[in-house]
Amino acid sequence: MADMAALKRGIAMPCFADDPSVLIDLCVAAEAAGFDGVFLWDHMTWSDAGDGPPMVDPWLVLAVVAARTERVLLGPMITPPSRRRPWVLARETTTLDVLSSGRTIFGVGLGGPDHGDFGLFGEVTDRRTRAAMLDESLTILDGLWSGEWFTHHGAQYGLGPVRFTPTPVQRPRIPIWVGGVLPNPAPIRRAARWDGAVPITYDEGGLARPSVEQITALTAEIAGQRESMDGYDVAVWAEVALDPAAVERELAAYAEAGATWWIETARPARDANWLDGLRTRISQGC
């Protein structure tokens, strides 16, 4: 029988704001309302045209959230390491984990849009190359987080010998959750190597919640590539609930399918009033 009580609940939000305190206050309110995690998107722009909504840096926001909260887990969901030097990212993630007393989750993926978040800034747009950079970056992060002497010479990056201290609070490392679009096999293989999976699906309106059947298939596929699923997380990237009571009736099936997190994320492409929607949802608690 699935343990629905073990299904953790999170809120995710775009890094869209004129004033970063708006996002900080939402994260603090989510903790007070009983949510288990708060997560921020990581973008440079949200438009291939080069403009889009006002945007703040999610990492600086998360640092303040870490200082103003005590319990919620937090992190980017997701960040693309291919446009961040992995050794700088190692320092940033370690600092956030220390500031939060070991509450960081590191969500990663290829990122997008390809032009708006990469091409406009002279970054690599080819997805295969960005995937190779992602894989090497995760190897480097794991090595630098260890606190041991580390050397890496790969096709994308080279460094060392070098030893980074302090180390993250969490051992053996900060949990790495890998986001990827179903049913692509590459992100599933990548997720199986690390600590969690954030499956992404789309419909005609954009981002869509994965079905119970998709979560069941994903969990089985990842389990077949790992020695154990103990401590492994599968996050359902869900819509912000208009009727939380109705959502509660669906959670047992997702928990039975192998999900460990239910993360309600705002979807600006569908809802221009997403900020008000988040405020209302957080006020309802979980």
Side-chain angles (χ1 to χ4, degrees):
M1 188 74 177
D3 182 7
M4 196 179 73
L7 195 64
K8 294 183 174 65
R9 307 291 290 275
I11 291 288
M13 61 195 77
C15 50
F16 303 169
D18 286 301
D19 180 354
S21 66
V22 171
L23 302 180
I24 294 165
D25 290 345
L26 280 174
C27 292
V28 172
E31 179 179 74
F35 288 92
D36 301 296
V38 290
F39 307 98
L40 290 179
W41 299 9
D42 186 355
H43 289 284
M44 290 290 104
T45 72
W46 203 52
S47 166
D48 283 337
D51 51 7
M55 196 168 294
V56 297
D57 181 78
W59 292 91
L60 293 177
V61 171
L62 287 166
V64 178
V65 172
R68 289 188 52 189
T69 57
E70 298 180 353
R71 179 185 56 79
V72 286
L73 304 186
L74 48 88
M77 200 68 65
I78 59 171
T79 197
S82 63
R83 61 168 163 79
R84 298 179 179 273
R85 294 187 180 276
W87 36 91
V88 177
L89 197 51
R91 291 293 194 199
E92 292 171 336
T93 50
T94 295
T95 301
L96 185 62
D97 203 52
V98 172
L99 281 172
S100 65
S101 300
R103 292 184 282 130
T104 301
I105 293 174
F106 186 44
V108 301
L110 293 189
D114 294 342
H115 184 64
D117 246 18
F118 299 92
L120 285 173
F121 307 100
E123 301 281 4
V124 173
T125 58
D126 178 72
R127 293 192 172 196
R128 287 184 180 274
T129 303
R130 296 210 318 264
M133 295 170 76
L134 169 56
D135 286 330
E136 279 196 36
S137 291
L138 296 181
T139 297
I140 291 167
L141 283 161
D142 195 34
L144 294 177
W145 285 339
S146 73
E148 304 297 330
W149 286 96
F150 179 71
T151 300
H152 176 85
H153 297 293
Q156 306 298 327
Y157 304 105
L159 71 153
V162 65
R163 179 172 178 259
F164 271 19
T165 58
T167 60
V169 173
Q170 298 180 86
R171 310 307 288 162
R173 61 171 171 259
I174 295 169
I176 295 171
W177 291 3
V178 177
V181 178
L182 296 179
N184 295 341
I188 296 174
R189 290 194 299 268
R190 183 176 297 115
R193 295 196 294 270
W194 298 101
D195 310 297
V198 187
I200 306 296
T201 58
Y202 292 92
D203 62 17
E204 293 179 356
L207 281 170
R209 185 207 310 177
S211 67
V212 170
E213 292 74 19
Q214 287 172 314
I215 296 297
T216 299
L218 171 73
T219 303
E221 189 165 353
I222 289 175
Q225 299 179 43
R226 294 175 55 86
E227 291 184 1
S228 171
M229 291 293 282
D230 290 345
Y232 192 87
D233 283 305
V234 175
V236 178
W237 200 239
E239 70 283 356
V240 172
L242 298 176
D243 182 357
V247 170
E248 291 294 326
R249 296 190 288 270
E250 301 184 55
L251 297 184
Y254 277 95
E256 188 72 41
T260 60
W261 275 83
W262 183 271
I263 300 176
E264 298 180 35
T265 181
R267 293 176 179 173
R270 292 177 182 256
D271 181 10
N273 297 315
W274 64 270
L275 185 57
D276 289 338
L278 267 187
R279 287 194 179 103
T280 298
R281 177 65 189 94
I282 289 171
S283 72
Q284 296 166 330
C286 64

